[in-house]
Amino acid sequence: MKSIALKDVRSKLPPLSDIKTLREHARKDIENGAVTSGYAADRKNVITMLNEALATELVCVLRYKRHYFMAAGIHAAPVAAEFLAHAAEEMSHADLIAKRIIELRGEPNFSPDGLAARSHAEYVEGDSLKGMIKEDLIAERIAIESYREMIAYLGDQDPTTHRMLEEILASEEEHAEDLSSLLEGMKDYEKL
Ligand SMILES: [Fe+2]
Ligand SMILES: [Fe+2]
């Protein structure tokens, strides 16, 4: 077998900084914590974007909680259980986003002032069980679109935020699927 020269292997490696440069960069601006000089995204824009995502998640928590208690009141136990599970997952998304904002040296905005305006999704109470499920599905579809756009905006400039948003996106897609199955199930029920 033909041996490969080290020079050829090196030329195939991605362009990495040498050890000295890496160490120098790490020592500079140490107060920036996890944000190093190699951070390629516009940090302020990313924080603003993440704060909008945080508001969206918080509005979704509130809407799902309202729907959970309303559905529980009309004895729709399986649907109520789904709403409650989604509320908990939206809260965990909010926590992930807030933690990332801190890592990026920003401040997570939990203020109720202007919360609905900062959120992409809306807080709609819904007038029936079906109406609630529909509104939740619409909100999930909004979240899916906005997370997809955020992921595309980031590209490879901030891999950690990128990966977190991809995980959240996958979860929102599951939520949308759960809700559309519930709606489908109701159609069968209505036929009886
Ligand atoms: Fe979420
Ligand atoms: Fe969701």
mmCIF file of all heavy atoms in Angstrom, residues 57 89-90 93 147 168 172 175, ligand 1:
data_model
loop_
_atom_site.group_PDB
_atom_site.id
_atom_site.type_symbol
_atom_site.label_atom_id
_atom_site.label_comp_id
_atom_site.label_asym_id
_atom_site.label_seq_id
_atom_site.Cartn_x
_atom_site.Cartn_y
_atom_site.Cartn_z
ATOM 1 N N GLU A 57 -41.255 30.600 24.826
ATOM 2 C CA GLU A 57 -41.404 29.419 25.678
ATOM 3 C C GLU A 57 -42.257 29.734 26.905
ATOM 4 O O GLU A 57 -43.098 28.933 27.303
ATOM 5 C CB GLU A 57 -40.024 28.894 26.112
ATOM 6 C CG GLU A 57 -39.158 28.389 24.974
ATOM 7 C CD GLU A 57 -39.713 27.131 24.295
ATOM 8 O OE1 GLU A 57 -40.661 26.515 24.825
ATOM 9 O OE2 GLU A 57 -39.198 26.782 23.223
ATOM 10 N N GLU A 89 -42.280 20.601 29.402
ATOM 11 C CA GLU A 89 -41.191 20.597 28.424
ATOM 12 C C GLU A 89 -40.872 22.013 27.933
ATOM 13 O O GLU A 89 -39.706 22.357 27.734
ATOM 14 C CB GLU A 89 -41.530 19.657 27.260
ATOM 15 C CG GLU A 89 -41.283 18.204 27.671
ATOM 16 C CD GLU A 89 -41.931 17.166 26.777
ATOM 17 O OE1 GLU A 89 -42.333 17.508 25.653
ATOM 18 O OE2 GLU A 89 -42.037 16.019 27.227
ATOM 19 N N GLU A 90 -41.901 22.836 27.770
ATOM 20 C CA GLU A 90 -41.647 24.232 27.361
ATOM 21 C C GLU A 90 -40.848 24.947 28.458
ATOM 22 O O GLU A 90 -39.961 25.750 28.164
ATOM 23 C CB GLU A 90 -42.945 25.008 27.089
ATOM 24 C CG GLU A 90 -43.943 24.370 26.139
ATOM 25 C CD GLU A 90 -43.445 24.070 24.736
ATOM 26 O OE1 GLU A 90 -42.233 24.124 24.475
ATOM 27 O OE2 GLU A 90 -44.284 23.749 23.883
ATOM 28 N N HIS A 93 -37.334 24.019 28.087
ATOM 29 C CA HIS A 93 -36.716 24.767 26.977
ATOM 30 C C HIS A 93 -36.334 26.176 27.457
ATOM 31 O O HIS A 93 -35.263 26.683 27.139
ATOM 32 C CB HIS A 93 -37.674 24.903 25.792
ATOM 33 C CG HIS A 93 -38.082 23.589 25.175
ATOM 34 N ND1 HIS A 93 -39.192 23.456 24.370
ATOM 35 C CD2 HIS A 93 -37.523 22.357 25.253
ATOM 36 C CE1 HIS A 93 -39.301 22.190 23.983
ATOM 37 N NE2 HIS A 93 -38.303 21.503 24.509
ATOM 38 N N TYR A 147 -37.654 28.563 15.189
ATOM 39 C CA TYR A 147 -36.402 27.864 15.544
ATOM 40 C C TYR A 147 -35.615 27.502 14.290
ATOM 41 O O TYR A 147 -34.390 27.605 14.277
ATOM 42 C CB TYR A 147 -36.670 26.626 16.406
ATOM 43 C CG TYR A 147 -36.912 26.992 17.861
ATOM 44 C CD1 TYR A 147 -38.098 26.688 18.494
ATOM 45 C CD2 TYR A 147 -35.927 27.674 18.577
ATOM 46 C CE1 TYR A 147 -38.317 27.065 19.816
ATOM 47 C CE2 TYR A 147 -36.135 28.042 19.892
ATOM 48 C CZ TYR A 147 -37.332 27.733 20.510
ATOM 49 O OH TYR A 147 -37.535 28.113 21.811
ATOM 50 N N ILE A 168 -34.272 21.699 20.754
ATOM 51 C CA ILE A 168 -35.587 22.284 21.070
ATOM 52 C C ILE A 168 -36.526 22.124 19.862
ATOM 53 O O ILE A 168 -37.691 21.764 20.015
ATOM 54 C CB ILE A 168 -35.462 23.768 21.501
ATOM 55 C CG1 ILE A 168 -34.618 23.872 22.777
ATOM 56 C CG2 ILE A 168 -36.828 24.390 21.715
ATOM 57 C CD1 ILE A 168 -34.366 25.297 23.266
ATOM 58 N N GLU A 172 -40.251 20.530 19.655
ATOM 59 C CA GLU A 172 -41.458 21.243 19.183
ATOM 60 C C GLU A 172 -42.138 20.435 18.081
ATOM 61 O O GLU A 172 -43.370 20.408 17.987
ATOM 62 C CB GLU A 172 -41.133 22.651 18.654
ATOM 63 C CG GLU A 172 -40.292 23.550 19.556
ATOM 64 C CD GLU A 172 -40.861 23.789 20.940
ATOM 65 O OE1 GLU A 172 -41.867 23.172 21.301
ATOM 66 O OE2 GLU A 172 -40.265 24.590 21.677
ATOM 67 N N HIS A 175 -44.152 17.880 19.737
ATOM 68 C CA HIS A 175 -45.369 18.482 20.292
ATOM 69 C C HIS A 175 -46.434 18.644 19.211
ATOM 70 O O HIS A 175 -47.603 18.326 19.422
ATOM 71 C CB HIS A 175 -45.073 19.861 20.904
ATOM 72 C CG HIS A 175 -44.243 19.817 22.155
ATOM 73 N ND1 HIS A 175 -43.726 20.932 22.747
ATOM 74 C CD2 HIS A 175 -43.863 18.762 22.922
ATOM 75 C CE1 HIS A 175 -43.053 20.578 23.842
ATOM 76 N NE2 HIS A 175 -43.119 19.262 23.950
HETATM 77 FE FE FE B 1 -40.627 24.843 23.585
#
